Amino acid sequence: MSIILIIEDEKPISDIIKFNLQKEGFDILTAYDGKEGLELALSANPDLIILDIMLPGMNGFDVCKKLRETSNVPIIMATAKEEEVDKILGLEFGADDYITKPFSVRELTARVKANLRRTAMPIVSPESAENAKEHIRSGSLSINVSKYEVTKFGEALPLTVREFELLKFLATQQEQVFSREQLLEKVWGYEYYGDIRTVDVTVRRLREKIEDDSAKPVYVMTRRGVGYYFKGE
């Protein structure tokens, strides 16, 4: 059973989220300030975190940034509806997804389930491993699909689940160009109410981790005016 940590200082909102996710069968942990949430996230090792931005003690951006130093746990960041910049900043700090307040419980539940599905390790039998492209290699980069692991020169790279999914999708269809809208649909994997800048931010973060020089990428390439593609070596 998946454990979800809710870091939200407004107890009525936290209680509503907790009640509805418990009905879906999730175990719920709660924290009401940033420092408490960070400590609980590090000690309890939840499967997903719902993280508010405006928190006492430590804001959501700092919590997210700190978590990303050691953890790739999926993070859904809750942002104020009018603060568009918060959405982009959340992604810059390593959040996998965001949802704007006020949000429906149905939408939040859908996002929680979608993000958890992406953390489930695919089971690849020995017989089907070759067809499933369990390993994708290009230059110094190696993508192990079944282990959700990317290495460069044999050293593991700290990709988030969303960054991994984006890289895997592009790498399995090398040289094929996808628009931002297509990537939102294919990689984010559900009816996504997001901004196409979400894709740009995720690509930028991915490049910073896999490229020798993110300003001169050799793997994840841009086709100006169209979208992105993976160029194999």
Side-chain angles (χ1 to χ4, degrees):
M1 186 178 296
S2 297
I3 299 173
I4 297 174
L5 170 59
I6 303 167
I7 308 178
E8 166 64 65
D9 64 320
E10 295 186 49
K11 193 173 186 300
I13 296 177
S14 178
D15 288 345
I16 290 172
I17 297 173
K18 178 180 178 179
F19 174 77
N20 283 278
L21 291 181
Q22 283 179 329
K23 286 200 305 181
E24 296 291 332
F26 298 112
D27 282 339
I28 305 297
L29 300 173
T30 56
Y32 302 105
D33 68 65
K35 289 183 178 179
E36 177 192 6
L38 177 60
E39 292 172 1
L40 193 54
L42 294 174
S43 62
N45 193 30
D47 298 292
L48 182 141
I49 298 173
I50 299 170
L51 176 62
D52 190 29
I53 291 177
M54 300 301 293
L55 294 167
M58 178 185 290
N59 67 45
F61 295 134
D62 289 339
V63 172
C64 185
K65 185 177 179 181
K66 194 68 178 176
L67 281 172
R68 283 294 176 250
E69 293 178 2
T70 57
S71 173
N72 287 328
V73 60
I75 297 174
I76 300 176
M77 187 160 276
T79 69
K81 186 174 182 180
E82 67 275 11
E83 296 299 335
E84 187 72 22
V85 66
D86 285 352
K87 303 172 185 179
I88 304 304
L89 281 174
L91 296 169
E92 291 280 9
F93 283 118
D96 297 274
D97 201 353
Y98 63 78
I99 190 166
T100 56
K101 294 182 177 181
F103 50 78
S104 71
V105 172
R106 182 178 179 181
E107 181 188 355
L108 177 62
T109 301
R111 288 174 183 267
V112 166
K113 291 181 177 179
N115 278 277
L116 285 172
R117 280 197 298 270
R118 300 216 168 258
T119 64
M121 295 292 192
I123 299 174
V124 182
S125 66
E127 296 78 15
S128 63
E130 184 175 352
N131 291 334
K133 295 184 179 179
E134 185 177 6
H135 287 88
I136 303 168
R137 295 184 176 86
S138 181
S140 59
L141 206 64
S142 177
I143 305 167
N144 188 315
V145 174
S146 64
K147 291 185 178 180
Y148 267 54
E149 183 180 72
V150 177
T151 60
K152 187 172 183 179
F153 296 115
E155 184 174 338
L157 302 178
L159 269 59
T160 67
V161 173
R162 193 70 69 188
E163 291 160 358
F164 178 87
E165 287 291 340
L166 177 60
L167 177 61
K168 182 184 74 172
F169 179 78
L170 292 173
T172 54
Q173 302 176 81
Q174 294 186 19
E175 307 292 343
Q176 185 171 345
V177 182
F178 294 92
S179 69
R180 293 165 177 81
E181 291 82 2
Q182 287 175 316
L183 291 172
L184 277 175
E185 178 186 351
K186 301 293 185 181
V187 177
W188 274 249
Y190 57 100
E191 189 176 1
Y192 192 77
Y193 300 96
D195 191 307
I196 60 172
R197 287 178 296 175
T198 299
V199 177
D200 297 330
V201 172
T202 307
V203 167
R204 184 163 63 251
R205 287 182 54 81
L206 177 61
R207 283 172 170 165
E208 289 172 353
K209 296 178 181 181
I210 69 171
E211 305 283 1
D212 290 336
D213 183 350
S214 60
K216 298 177 181 178
V218 298
Y219 295 114
V220 178
M221 312 297 290
T222 301
R223 182 66 53 81
R224 193 170 299 278
V226 183
Y228 298 105
Y229 67 99
F230 186 92
K231 183 178 180 181
E233 290 188 354

